[in-house]
Amino acid sequence: MENNLHISGKWRFRFIYVVAFVLFAVAAGRLFYLTVVEKDFLQNQGEIRAVRTQSIPATRGMILDRRGEPLAVSTPTWTVVANPKELWSIERDPSINKGPEQEIKRLAEVMGVGRTWLQEKFEANKHRSFMYLRRQLPPHEADEIMSAKIVGVSKTKEYKRFYPAGEVASHVVGFTNIDDKGQEGIELAYDQALQGEPGRRSFVKDLSGNIIRGIGVDKTEHPGENIELSVDLRLQYLAYRELKAAVTEHRATSASAVILDVKTGEILAMVNQPSYNPNDRSKLEYEELRNRAVIDLFEPGSTMKPFTVSAALMSGQYSTETQINTAPGYMRFGRFTIRDSRNHGVMDFEKLLIKSSNVGASKIALSLPQDAIWNMDYELGIGSPVGIGFPGEASGVLPSHPKWHPSEIATLSYGYGLSVSTLQLAQAYMTLANGGYRVPVTIFKQDIPSDGKQVIPRTVAKDVVKMMEAVVQKGSGRAAQIPGYRVAGKTGTVHKVGSKGYEYDQYIALFAGMAPASNPRLAMVVMVNDPKGREYYGGEVAAPVFSRVMEGALTTLNIYPDLPEGLREVRLETKKQPIQVVQGG
């Protein structure tokens, strides 16, 4: 009996020993499997649950004028965000008045918003782990919200775009949206280069979402490229001020002006009316966004006559002394009649431009090969985008016909039947001013001009520029005169096209010119759309703007006067008192 009990107890001990050993072996094996075989997998899973990554925003590149003045800069701001999922996971404790509703109430108070609205916002996003509360706040406002220590509420760094020149350069620079993406102008056209590349950092969070420690930067952010434009902010302010004054004085619908460097093709100023302040877009209207200098098209009218004269001189059929008989002051093509202001009789090319004879230009064009005027306009860039990369840049219209009707050739010769932008017309005049050598137009600063093309012989270009000097000295362009400088240019007054044809009480006033005429450095075009005052001719409305802006530009750029000493005091009473322009924010 005792022996049997002894054997039974011995077996029980051995059984327990074996079971314990097996359990230990299984545990050890499992531990080995988890710590060695599955180490990488389990470590990765743990990190997924505890390690978080955060994007490091990259600073957007600055946009600068040619002298390094900032046109667009990014300033650091703070954005307050929430984790609704975390907030709704708070355990309610009535004894200490704690729960999601109480946290939302405290948050509403510190933010200064309605509690009901905020609670509905949290409830609508209760299953999400991210929600914006306030974006792009100054540091003190973000700190005030964070001081309440609301569960699930944190702040993150962002950048806000600021435009020091305000409305003056808005159509050139454009603007970004709240996510720092370009929407208009240079900001849109070169968004990718300006954006840069964001970085990334890792950190460990506990179960409550608190950051325990930072792991480090996984990827360093790279700021966006700075872009240096060809625009001179001094000239931009000057042109904008005078254009705005003219629009106000003549009650015009809109206007635009462009100044180009004749030698390099750089855009030194490009302004429009109406404009907008990119720092405050709360009352922005869509029409104000349009960069009219590159988008809006119009018939250039008499400003194209110098190129008709150029084509005639290039043909070899004419010289500068050739006489054109414009009597009796009109020409008929069936029901269509071309008229001059009166019968100017016989005139040479210079007088043709001074009197702006439609009949004279038409007779010249009709005597040339039928595609001569078209070829001239095409070589000047009419009908093709200028190619500065702006969104929505218009190509203009240069009609082409297998067989031209005489009336079509005639109207083309004096600037009707085709359409251009202000920038395209400025490009054409820049070419004429540059001795007939066309260089690419650019919005970026460059010290050495790009290769171009000789489209008008240099001698012809010089002859035509000299004729245009006479237009300013004796003709309709007198208001474009500048004390101390020789000026060459041409006026244009164009009937606008309406729903039933040309409107005889709506006009576009134009002046295109260059200075100093002895060796042109700057070319400029002023376009004023639909002036509603008593004055509406290009010589009355656009030429004075050219004079005031070009005078300031020549002085600012230290371009020496080219008139003889005794003639430098000659001046017409064309100066107006400019209105003030609000700068910046």
Side-chain angles (χ1 to χ4, degrees):
M1 183 73 175
E2 290 180 2
N3 188 40
N4 290 337
L5 290 172
H6 174 74
I7 294 171
S8 177
K10 188 177 181 179
W11 276 104
R12 281 197 296 270
F13 175 77
R14 289 178 178 176
F15 176 75
I16 293 171
Y17 178 81
V18 170
V19 170
F21 177 80
V22 170
L23 291 175
F24 175 78
V26 170
R30 182 63 176 169
L31 183 62
F32 175 82
Y33 178 78
L34 294 176
T35 57
V36 178
V37 179
E38 291 289 308
K39 176 184 177 182
D40 294 340
F41 172 77
L42 293 174
Q43 187 173 347
N44 183 56
Q45 290 298 308
E47 288 178 352
I48 289 174
R49 290 163 172 75
V51 176
R52 297 290 182 268
T53 59
Q54 184 182 49
S55 176
I56 305 173
T59 309
R60 191 174 177 87
M62 292 193 296
I63 300 176
L64 309 168
D65 88 329
R66 65 183 302 107
R67 299 168 59 246
E69 294 291 329
L71 300 175
V73 294
S74 292
T75 56
T77 61
W78 290 99
T79 290
V80 179
V81 299
N83 185 337
K85 191 175 182 180
E86 182 181 341
L87 184 138
W88 286 107
S89 67
I90 300 174
E91 292 186 10
R92 290 172 172 79
D93 190 343
S95 64
I96 59 172
N97 194 29
K98 182 180 179 181
E101 292 79 6
Q102 286 71 32
E103 292 292 275
I104 292 173
K105 179 182 178 182
R106 290 200 302 125
L107 182 60
E109 290 173 353
V110 74
M111 288 178 60
V113 299
R115 176 185 174 184
T116 303
W117 172 83
L118 189 59
Q119 180 148 345
E120 289 175 353
K121 186 177 178 69
F122 269 95
E123 287 178 349
N125 295 277
K126 66 190 308 179
H127 298 297
R128 297 182 179 180
S129 57
F130 181 87
M131 180 179 76
Y132 285 114
L133 289 176
R134 285 279 177 82
R135 299 193 68 178
Q136 298 185 345
L137 294 174
H140 71 276
E141 291 186 23
D143 290 342
E144 185 178 350
I145 296 174
M146 294 306 299
S147 66
K149 296 182 179 180
I150 309 298
V151 175
V153 174
S154 59
K155 66 178 183 178
T156 183
K157 193 175 186 180
E158 284 190 322
Y159 290 93
K160 183 178 181 180
R161 210 64 163 159
F162 177 69
Y163 303 94
E167 65 188 71
V168 173
S170 58
H171 289 115
V172 175
V173 179
F175 60 87
T176 61
N177 62 14
I178 196 168
D179 292 316
D180 223 17
K181 306 291 184 185
Q183 302 296 295
E184 292 287 339
I186 292 293
E187 293 277 34
L188 173 59
Y190 299 93
D191 184 53
Q192 189 171 357
L194 288 163
Q195 271 186 27
E197 191 175 345
R200 187 175 61 251
R201 66 164 60 92
S202 299
F203 52 87
V204 178
K205 276 189 174 184
D206 62 16
L207 294 177
S208 300
N210 300 312
I211 296 177
I212 300 173
R213 62 182 174 87
I215 296 176
V217 176
D218 304 320
K219 180 183 177 183
T220 304
E221 77 277 15
H222 296 285
E225 297 177 22
N226 291 340
I227 291 181
E228 192 171 21
L229 302 183
S230 59
V231 170
D232 188 320
L233 192 53
R234 299 171 299 177
L235 274 57
Q236 186 79 6
Y237 271 119
L238 176 62
Y240 184 85
R241 181 187 67 190
E242 296 298 343
L243 192 69
K244 188 170 185 176
V247 167
T248 302
E249 178 185 355
H250 298 286
R251 294 183 288 121
T253 301
S254 60
S256 60
V258 173
I259 304 175
L260 298 179
D261 186 306
V262 167
K263 306 301 181 184
T264 65
E266 293 171 297
I267 298 173
L268 300 180
M270 181 162 61
V271 296
N272 300 281
Q273 278 294 309
S275 187
Y276 66 94
N277 187 344
N279 298 307
D280 180 11
R281 302 192 291 273
S282 57
K283 298 180 181 179
L284 181 63
E285 295 183 8
Y286 177 76
E287 282 294 305
E288 296 172 347
L289 291 175
R290 286 164 53 196
N291 187 345
R292 297 174 183 274
V294 300
I295 293 175
D296 283 12
L297 298 176
F298 53 88
E299 290 180 306
S302 295
T303 58
M304 295 303 291
K305 287 173 183 172
F307 304 111
T308 298
V309 170
S310 299
L313 295 176
M314 288 170 61
S315 71
Q317 297 177 221
Y318 295 91
S319 71
T320 54
E321 290 79 27
T322 301
Q323 302 290 306
I324 307 294
N325 186 2
T326 64
Y330 61 86
M331 293 176 66
R332 295 191 187 278
F333 298 92
R335 296 182 179 180
F336 177 60
T337 303
I338 295 173
R339 299 181 184 277
D340 284 342
S341 58
R342 64 180 180 84
N343 181 6
H344 297 296
V346 178
M347 60 177 68
D348 60 15
F349 280 6
E350 181 178 289
K351 187 176 179 182
L352 184 152
L353 293 181
I354 292 173
K355 299 299 182 181
S356 199
S357 172
N358 294 339
V359 174
S362 299
K363 285 192 171 184
I364 290 172
L366 290 169
S367 70
L368 300 175
Q370 67 171 8
D371 58 353
I373 303 300
W374 187 94
N375 287 336
M376 169 58 66
D377 293 346
Y378 177 79
E379 291 293 339
L380 292 167
I382 308 300
S384 303
V386 174
I388 59 173
F390 262 70
E393 182 184 339
S395 59
V397 177
L398 181 60
S400 179
H401 305 289
K403 185 173 177 61
W404 289 82
H405 189 276
S407 64
E408 293 170 334
I409 296 174
T411 54
L412 201 65
S413 72
Y414 58 87
Y416 279 79
L418 73 160
S419 62
V420 300
S421 67
T422 304
L423 182 59
Q424 283 179 318
L425 188 58
Q427 176 183 239
Y429 270 76
M430 175 194 73
T431 301
L432 197 59
N434 196 29
Y437 188 73
R438 177 185 165 189
V439 295
V441 174
T442 179
I443 192 66
F444 300 111
K445 181 183 177 182
Q446 57 182 36
D447 298 320
I448 301 174
S450 301
D451 292 337
K453 179 182 179 182
Q454 193 77 40
V455 297
I456 301 173
R458 190 170 187 83
T459 54
V460 171
K462 282 185 170 294
D463 287 340
V464 175
V465 169
K466 188 175 180 181
M467 295 176 199
M468 290 194 298
E469 272 196 81
V471 174
V472 175
Q473 292 168 1
K474 312 172 189 176
S476 57
R478 288 188 181 92
Q481 292 180 15
I482 302 172
Y485 294 90
R486 292 165 56 186
V487 177
K490 184 70 185 76
T491 59
T493 306
V494 184
H495 288 283
K496 292 188 65 175
V497 178
S499 58
K500 298 181 180 179
Y502 288 103
E503 301 287 347
Y504 285 92
D505 60 348
Q506 294 183 23
Y507 303 89
I508 292 174
L510 294 162
F511 186 85
M514 60 205 69
S518 60
N519 181 23
R521 291 282 306 280
L522 303 177
M524 181 179 180
V525 171
V526 179
M527 186 278 288
V528 181
N529 175 31
D530 193 20
K532 299 178 181 64
R534 288 187 299 177
E535 297 174 330
Y536 57 84
Y537 287 107
E540 298 171 322
V541 176
V545 177
F546 174 94
S547 173
R548 293 192 290 269
V549 176
M550 186 62 80
E551 180 181 7
L554 293 167
T555 304
T556 299
L557 298 178
N558 296 317
I559 298 174
Y560 198 74
D562 61 342
L563 268 177
E565 290 284 348
L567 298 177
R568 289 184 185 176
E569 299 303 318
V570 176
R571 167 185 206 102
L572 294 180
E573 294 299 323
T574 61
K575 308 299 174 192
K576 311 282 185 180
Q577 288 298 320
I579 64 174
Q580 295 297 314
V581 177
V582 178
Q583 300 179 11

